[in-house]
Amino acid sequence: METLAIHDAKTGLLIYRRVAIHNRKNLKIVRLETHMIPSLRLDRYCSEGFQFELFSAERFGHETTLQAFHLQALESVFISGRLLMKNYEVFLDRGFRAVALLTDPFYEMAGRLFLLKKMSTSPVPFLGDRDRLILAPAVEHFAEVALTSTSSLKTALKKAPTKVRDVLSSPLTRQLVCTSPEQSTARADIAAAVDLLSRFTVVGHDNDLAHYQHALAELFERPVDQLPLPPRHMALQELANKLRELPVAEGLIEHDLILDHYVRQALRVNTH
C-alpha cells in the first residue's frame, strides 16, 4: 500500500503512517502552542505530508512527547503542543525547526479566564487530565466571577490564592524557561526566554499576522492564502481591554509583557 495510517483506537495517537514519497515533507517541525485553546485546524493543514504527527502533545505527557522527538530514523516529523520548551531545546540541535505565534499577553490572559469560566459549567475536551488537575483551583475561584465587570475581576484577581495566580502568571515565559509546571519565573528569566526564542525558525506576533502567515507558507511550501490562522474574538478583546486597566492583572503577567516588548521590537527591525 502506498499510503497507510494506524492510530491507537482509544487516544487517537498515531502509531505508524506511510506517506507517498512525492507528497512527503522531509522536515522536522515543532510548533510551540502558546495559547490555551489549540490551533488544531492549523496543525492539520501544516502537517499534511508528514510521516509522523503529534498534536496537543501536552495531553500525552512528557515521556510520550519525548519519544516522539526521539524518532531519529524519521526525517518527516510534526509535533505541536503547549510544551515546556526548555525540556526539548536540545532537539533544536538535532534537526528540529521550531515555530511559534505570540499574542498580546492581556488577550491571552482574557482567553484563559474565559476558558476557566467555561470549565465551571461544561467539560473542555482538548485538555488532558494533568491540565484539568492544575486548573481546578482556578476554575473554582472564577466560577462566580462576572467577567464583564471590571470591579468583579479586580476583586477576584486580588484575592486569588497562589495556585490560582500560578495559572495566570506569565505563561509564555514559563513555557520557555521552566522544566516543570510548578516552577515560577523571575525577572532574570526573561533574557533566557528571549535567547530560546532566537533559536526558532519562525516567530510571529498576532499584531502582524501577515508576516507570520507568509513565513509559515514558505517553510511548509503551502499557499499563503489557505493557512487557517486563529481569529480575533471581540468578546476576548473587550475583556483584555478591561484587564489592561487593572494593575493587579499587569503584575501577574509582568514578565510576559516585557518579553512581548522585546519580541515586537525584534520583529519590527526584521520586517522593515
Side-chain angles (χ1 to χ4, degrees):
M1 296 177 66
E2 188 179 51
T3 59
L4 175 69
I6 302 172
H7 294 262
D8 178 70
K10 182 178 180 181
T11 64
L13 187 68
L14 179 65
I15 297 171
Y16 174 82
R17 179 155 69 188
R18 185 180 300 159
V19 180
I21 293 176
H22 63 277
N23 287 331
R24 190 170 66 200
K25 297 286 186 186
N26 289 319
L27 293 169
K28 290 186 175 183
I29 299 291
V30 53
R31 188 185 74 79
L32 181 64
E33 180 60 80
T34 62
H35 312 290
M36 284 292 291
I37 303 173
S39 300
L40 291 178
R41 286 183 61 229
L42 178 63
D43 285 337
R44 293 190 185 99
Y45 182 80
C46 290
S47 66
E48 289 181 11
F50 282 84
Q51 193 172 353
F52 181 82
E53 65 184 24
L54 179 64
F55 302 158
S56 301
E58 72 280 353
R59 292 182 299 122
F60 299 100
H62 173 62
E63 290 302 323
T64 299
T65 303
L66 195 61
Q67 292 304 312
F69 276 100
H70 274 299
L71 293 173
Q72 296 179 13
L74 297 183
E75 293 298 326
S76 180
V77 180
F78 181 94
I79 300 171
S80 73
R82 197 162 21 85
L83 304 174
L84 296 174
M85 196 60 195
K86 194 69 177 176
N87 289 324
Y88 312 100
E89 182 181 8
V90 63
F91 294 98
L92 299 182
D93 297 319
R94 300 178 185 176
F96 272 89
R97 302 183 188 185
V99 303
L101 175 65
L102 279 52
T103 190
D104 166 47
F106 284 109
Y107 187 85
E108 174 58 26
M109 190 181 199
R112 285 176 175 251
L113 290 171
F114 177 83
L115 185 63
L116 293 171
K117 185 76 173 176
K118 181 177 176 60
M119 289 175 67
S120 67
T121 57
S122 57
V124 176
F126 54 78
L127 292 177
D129 292 339
R130 186 173 189 178
D131 271 333
R132 292 190 185 98
L133 186 64
I134 291 172
L135 296 176
V139 172
E140 182 179 356
H141 182 76
F142 288 102
E144 304 302 324
V145 176
L147 298 184
T148 54
S149 168
T150 303
S151 60
S152 180
L153 275 172
K154 181 179 179 180
T155 301
L157 291 173
K158 279 189 171 182
K159 292 183 177 181
T162 300
K163 287 187 176 181
V164 175
R165 293 172 65 88
D166 285 346
V167 169
L168 300 173
S169 296
S170 294
L172 177 60
T173 307
R174 282 173 172 246
Q175 278 189 261
L176 293 169
V177 302
C178 294
T179 56
S180 72
E182 294 78 22
Q183 278 183 265
S184 57
T185 60
R187 181 75 68 93
D189 290 321
I190 298 170
V194 172
D195 182 63
L196 181 50
L197 272 180
S198 72
R199 303 192 62 195
F200 279 42
T201 301
V202 176
V203 175
H205 196 284
D206 68 351
N207 69 350
D208 187 3
L209 282 176
H211 165 74
Y212 179 68
Q213 196 171 20
H214 279 82
L216 274 193
E218 182 178 348
L219 179 63
F220 290 105
E221 298 179 337
R222 306 298 299 273
V224 66
D225 58 342
Q226 294 182 20
L227 280 170
L229 296 180
R232 198 80 169 178
H233 297 284
M234 287 305 299
L236 293 185
Q237 188 59 62
E238 290 174 7
L239 178 54
N241 292 339
K242 287 184 172 62
L243 293 169
R244 213 178 298 274
E245 300 171 2
L246 301 177
V248 63
E250 182 179 342
L252 283 171
I253 55 174
E254 179 184 9
H255 300 152
D256 273 9
L257 288 170
I258 298 171
L259 177 60
D260 184 74
H261 169 76
Y262 285 124
V263 169
R264 286 187 289 107
Q265 288 291 105
L267 289 174
R268 189 174 296 118
V269 170
N270 289 328
T271 55
H272 290 87

